[in-house]
Amino acid sequence: MKKVVSILMIDDHPSQIEGYKVILHYNKSGFEIDTTAIFNSHRAYDVITNDKYSSSFDVCFLDRSLPIYAEKNIKSGEDLAVLLKKHMPKTKIVMLTSHSEAFVLYHIVKKLEPAGLLVKCDFTAEELLIAFDKIMKGETYHSETVKESMRDLLSKEEYLDAYNRQIIMLLSQGIKTKNIPEHLNLSQSTVEKRKVQIKNYFCIEKGTDEDIVKEAKRMGFI
């Protein structure tokens, strides 16, 4: 008798979910796949936080980019992943994202530690099956873009720590230096000192915030 693997799929694109369902039915371990599809953050929140579903799913395929559910402060799939880890601790989380920026991928791995992280434009049907097989065996799977980003940023972690990465991301969003302390638990003087570190790392002597952002983009960090 085939083992049934119960999968929760959260994505606001029904066609993507249908594609994943078809592919996973060809899994190499011969599992029978039972899927539950959710297409918005509101419904996902209700299911994840409902105790009756706490042990219902073996795996959750979760899209990072989901419409906001403002009432519960759900801004993305990352917020849902945090809830999943709290309410469904035994469910393996596989994050799927269209973002290939190194900072975004690094942040997901460090903050959420998902069982799998795949960049949508980066994997084929065959790779999805390989990822699923490894994850079901208790291994962690990162697609190639994720691996490259992790290798690159881990070698630079001393210079581009969490605060420095957040400063660069805020600058890229058009946030002025004087307003960064409103977003981070840092003083204005500390922000200025960290910007000097960032400029030194990027070899920018007298550059502006725009130069920092430009160099970060050139290096594929944002």
Side-chain angles (χ1 to χ4, degrees):
M1 184 175 179
K2 288 185 177 181
K3 178 183 176 180
V4 177
V5 175
S6 183
I7 302 179
L8 177 63
M9 294 189 175
I10 306 173
D11 195 310
D12 60 327
H13 296 94
S15 60
Q16 294 259 281
I17 287 181
E18 287 305 312
Y20 300 147
K21 286 167 62 175
V22 170
I23 293 168
L24 291 176
H25 277 291
Y26 292 94
N27 70 85
K28 302 177 187 299
S29 299
F31 294 128
E32 182 177 332
I33 305 298
D34 178 41
T35 58
T36 298
I38 295 178
F39 307 117
N40 59 70
S41 298
H42 188 157
R43 175 61 179 157
Y45 177 89
D46 290 344
V47 170
I48 292 169
T49 57
N50 190 324
D51 289 343
K52 77 175 185 179
Y53 296 114
S54 61
S55 301
S56 298
F57 303 104
D58 300 299
V59 183
C60 177
F61 281 80
L62 176 58
D63 186 14
R64 179 182 180 272
S65 299
L66 290 168
I68 294 173
Y69 178 26
E71 184 179 333
K72 296 298 183 180
N73 199 32
I74 303 299
K75 300 175 182 177
S76 71
E78 288 185 33
D79 294 324
L80 290 174
V82 172
L83 288 175
L84 273 162
K85 291 174 78 72
K86 177 182 178 181
H87 294 278
M88 300 180 176
K90 294 182 180 180
T91 301
K92 301 176 187 292
I93 300 173
V94 182
M95 292 291 295
L96 302 158
T97 178
S98 298
H99 291 270
S100 59
E101 300 92 334
F103 281 177
V104 172
L105 300 175
Y106 187 89
H107 173 75
I108 292 172
V109 171
K110 285 290 187 177
K111 177 184 177 183
L112 303 175
E113 299 181 325
L117 176 56
L118 297 96
V119 178
K120 288 186 176 182
C121 65
D122 191 37
F123 69 88
T124 61
E126 180 63 24
E127 184 170 10
L128 181 60
L129 290 174
I130 292 171
F132 180 70
D133 183 59
K134 288 183 177 293
I135 289 164
M136 291 306 299
K137 290 178 180 176
E139 300 177 37
T140 299
Y141 190 88
H142 295 155
S143 64
E144 194 57 40
T145 297
V146 179
K147 291 178 188 175
E148 290 177 6
S149 296
M150 291 299 295
R151 281 195 297 265
D152 197 25
L153 277 178
L154 282 171
S155 69
K156 302 173 174 64
E157 198 167 26
E158 180 181 351
Y159 307 96
L160 299 176
D161 65 10
Y163 279 121
N164 285 357
R165 294 196 304 273
Q166 289 179 79
I167 288 171
I168 294 171
M169 290 297 288
L170 288 169
L171 291 174
S172 74
Q173 293 164 18
I175 306 297
K176 296 186 180 300
T177 300
K178 66 180 181 180
N179 295 326
I180 287 179
E182 298 173 13
H183 299 266
L184 303 177
N185 187 27
L186 297 174
S187 67
Q188 189 68 54
S189 61
T190 300
V191 171
E192 294 290 353
K193 288 177 183 176
R194 284 182 168 276
K195 277 183 60 181
V196 170
Q197 293 175 354
I198 293 168
K199 287 182 179 180
N200 287 339
Y201 175 73
F202 285 152
C203 298
I204 301 172
E205 275 192 51
K206 299 178 180 179
T208 63
D209 291 350
E210 288 75 15
D211 292 318
I212 291 175
V213 173
K214 182 179 179 180
E215 188 62 17
K217 286 182 177 178
R218 186 189 71 79
M219 297 180 75
F221 294 151
I222 57 177

